[in-house]
Amino acid sequence: MGMTIAEKIIAKAAGVETVKAGDIHTVTLDRIMTNDGTTHLTIDMFHNDLKHPKIADNKKAVFVIDHNVPADNPKTASSHKKMRDFARTHNIDFWEGKGVCHQIMMEHYVSPGELIFGADSHTCTYGALGAFGTGVGCTDLLYALVTGTSWVLVPETIRFHLIGELKEGVYPRDLMLTIIGEIGANGANYQVMEFTGEGASNLSINDRIVLCNLAVEAGAKTAIFEPDEKALAYLKEHGGRKPKAMLKSDEDAHYIKEYTFDLSKIEPVIARPDFVDDVVPAKEIEHIKIDEAFVGSCNNGRIDELRVSAKLLKGRKVAEHVRFLIAPASNSVYIQAMKEGLIDIFMEAGAMVVNSNCSVCWGGCQGVIGDNEVLISTGTRNFKGRAGSPSSKVYLASAETVTASAIAGRIITADQLTYFK
């Protein structure tokens, strides 16, 4: 029997010819990423719990401060300093205030065929380039740092066959929320979501990032696309790095389940509080008043989304009672947005453009919402208390729907903006 892309990556990392779902293998990791969410805990264990602490390969490690940046209190500042000092001592690549960790990784490190561990659940993002990225806890991250290896229980793979193309006004965000709504928040538990077909090929790398990034919200171990010419072009555009391996699934590879989604039938949708899989057509809830809107995060903060937002905002104003925050996913995205005049449009419309960081999606340092307030967001999650008060509500939608809602002051789709100038 043949192997899937994910199985082939694990086999290469384990130094074996074949693997199958359910096997456990020791693997050599290509990259190890960690951010300020938990790195301070890993560093404490490194110093306090190891008899002979060492870093196996500092060239594989990447430290990113992106969750609470700039530091919002003395405790955060102390954690950040711990990261800076450790990275400097061990000569580890260190990024602070330059973007969300997954965007940094995609722009500068990830290559097709790699096996990457990250101390963040959305490390599955890297499948957009045909890499196997998965999130781990700080203890597993420590083991990976000091040995360069880890263990992997080979996951089963679900095939998502995509056909057709998305209609105008419908985005990859709508597609992935629709998929999660159909299969459920536990629909891919510890499994790989592999996207195939003409519809998958039609998607840009930025589009693929959106799908892979949200896979963990369906419980997935990771998500992956077959790397193609678009992946190679992305590598060339971002520093010219080379792929480790351009892999594709064998024709006789085994899939535990298979789904087919026609992209032309996808409509704008919204995930209602407090569950990512409570997904409904956006037009069903257009009456709900909002207090805050957010465009950004590792899922929807790239130049594509900022262009969509700026197109709607040009010549219009954000509703008076709405706070609209926009956070470019990285400084390179921010600079591109400035070159295109998008930042001017945002500011003139009354939006607040903040530094490149997790921002409102993290809910810890910017745009925190108060009691009973309503947020519509392009962030990754809408759990109770995710963005502030436990009594607040978070709706998830595309950048277009979020921006239209910021203008109207209530949840609305862009085609309903005729009367808002």
Side-chain angles (χ1 to χ4, degrees):
M1 183 178 292
M3 291 191 293
T4 65
I5 300 173
E7 289 166 349
K8 288 182 178 182
I9 292 174
I10 293 172
K12 283 183 175 293
V16 298
E17 288 293 321
T18 62
V19 302
K20 64 180 186 301
D23 291 348
I24 297 177
H25 289 277
T26 298
V27 292
T28 299
L29 300 170
D30 294 293
R31 299 280 179 192
I32 302 161
M33 186 280 299
T34 183
N35 60 46
D36 52 317
T38 59
T39 305
H40 58 290
L41 301 176
T42 300
I43 292 172
D44 287 345
M45 289 188 289
F46 180 89
H47 290 306
N48 300 330
D49 300 335
L50 301 181
K51 290 184 178 180
H52 305 289
K54 63 180 178 61
I55 302 294
D57 187 347
N58 61 351
K59 297 303 180 185
K60 291 184 177 181
V62 182
F63 280 18
V64 185
I65 290 180
D66 65 346
H67 275 53
N68 290 69
V69 58
D72 55 336
N73 59 57
K75 184 177 179 179
T76 299
S78 177
S79 295
H80 288 182
K81 184 178 185 302
K82 188 176 293 186
M83 283 184 69
R84 290 188 207 103
D85 292 345
F86 190 90
R88 188 180 301 113
T89 298
H90 297 280
N91 196 27
I92 291 171
D93 280 9
F94 178 75
W95 301 76
E96 179 173 9
K98 296 180 180 178
V100 182
C101 60
H102 305 305
Q103 187 68 18
I104 293 293
M105 292 294 291
M106 290 294 292
E107 291 178 358
H108 299 278
Y109 296 99
V110 178
S111 289
E114 291 186 331
L115 179 58
I116 303 171
F117 275 12
D120 188 278
S121 59
H122 293 100
T123 303
C124 48
T125 301
Y126 312 155
L129 283 175
F132 188 116
T134 193
V136 297
C138 53
T139 304
D140 285 332
L141 196 285
L142 174 65
Y143 186 87
L145 278 175
V146 301
T147 68
T149 66
S150 190
W151 64 273
V152 172
L153 171 64
V154 181
E156 297 169 320
T157 298
I158 305 175
R159 184 176 185 236
F160 291 84
H161 191 66
L162 308 181
I163 60 176
E165 295 187 40
L166 294 171
K167 297 179 294 188
E168 184 177 354
V170 182
Y171 300 90
R173 175 99 166 163
D174 296 306
L175 170 61
M176 193 56 184
L177 287 175
T178 298
I179 291 173
I180 295 171
E182 179 164 327
I183 70 172
N186 296 309
N189 275 357
Y190 205 90
Q191 294 168 330
V192 178
M193 298 177 72
E194 180 181 329
F195 297 98
T196 68
E198 178 189 358
S201 298
N202 289 336
L203 297 174
S204 70
I205 298 302
N206 281 351
D207 294 340
R208 297 174 194 182
I209 288 173
V210 175
L211 270 64
C212 289
N213 175 272
L214 280 182
V216 70
E217 308 310 329
K221 180 69 172 174
T222 194
I224 202 160
F225 283 77
E226 178 184 322
D228 56 11
E229 292 301 317
K230 289 181 179 179
L232 293 176
Y234 186 93
L235 296 182
K236 184 177 180 180
E237 181 184 353
H238 294 85
R241 58 191 185 273
K242 304 298 182 183
K244 179 182 179 182
M246 300 287 285
L247 302 173
K248 64 179 182 179
S249 294
D250 295 324
E251 290 186 6
D252 60 342
H254 176 68
Y255 296 96
I256 189 67
K257 291 180 184 176
E258 297 194 35
Y259 296 90
T260 297
F261 284 86
D262 185 344
L263 275 58
S264 68
K265 295 182 179 179
I266 303 299
E267 300 289 343
V269 295
I270 289 179
R272 297 183 293 193
D274 299 303
F275 304 97
V276 182
D277 59 354
D278 184 6
V279 178
V280 297
K283 290 186 180 298
E284 285 190 9
I285 54 173
E286 286 188 341
H287 61 286
I288 296 174
K289 181 180 177 181
I290 67 168
D291 299 287
E292 184 168 300
F294 172 63
V295 168
S297 85
C298 57
N299 187 257
N300 238 223
R302 280 163 290 281
I303 194 66
D304 296 12
E305 290 81 33
L306 299 192
R307 287 169 180 157
V308 167
S309 187
K311 183 178 180 180
L312 288 182
L313 281 174
K314 190 171 184 178
R316 294 188 172 103
K317 296 289 185 181
V318 174
E320 285 189 8
H321 71 275
V322 173
R323 310 180 298 275
F324 188 14
L325 277 71
I326 298 173
S330 71
N331 282 3
S332 63
V333 173
Y334 204 130
I335 290 168
Q336 182 64 32
M338 287 194 291
K339 289 179 179 177
E340 296 182 16
L342 308 187
I343 304 300
D344 291 345
I345 294 172
F346 298 151
M347 301 292 280
E348 288 167 3
M352 293 180 276
V353 183
V354 299
N355 59 303
S356 300
N357 75 120
C358 295
S359 191
V360 178
C361 179
W362 171 240
C365 62
Q366 291 179 334
V368 177
I369 51 179
D371 292 346
N372 300 310
E373 286 195 312
V374 174
L375 164 71
I376 186 166
S377 169
T378 66
T380 57
R381 289 175 174 151
N382 62 346
F383 307 151
K384 185 179 291 293
R386 170 70 176 183
S389 169
S391 65
S392 63
K393 299 294 182 182
V394 180
Y395 292 82
L396 301 179
S398 71
E400 182 176 275
T401 299
V402 168
T403 305
S405 301
I407 295 167
R410 59 183 173 85
I411 293 178
I412 195 173
T413 51
D415 60 347
Q416 303 297 309
L417 276 179
T418 308
Y419 302 106
F420 293 90
K421 302 246 178 159

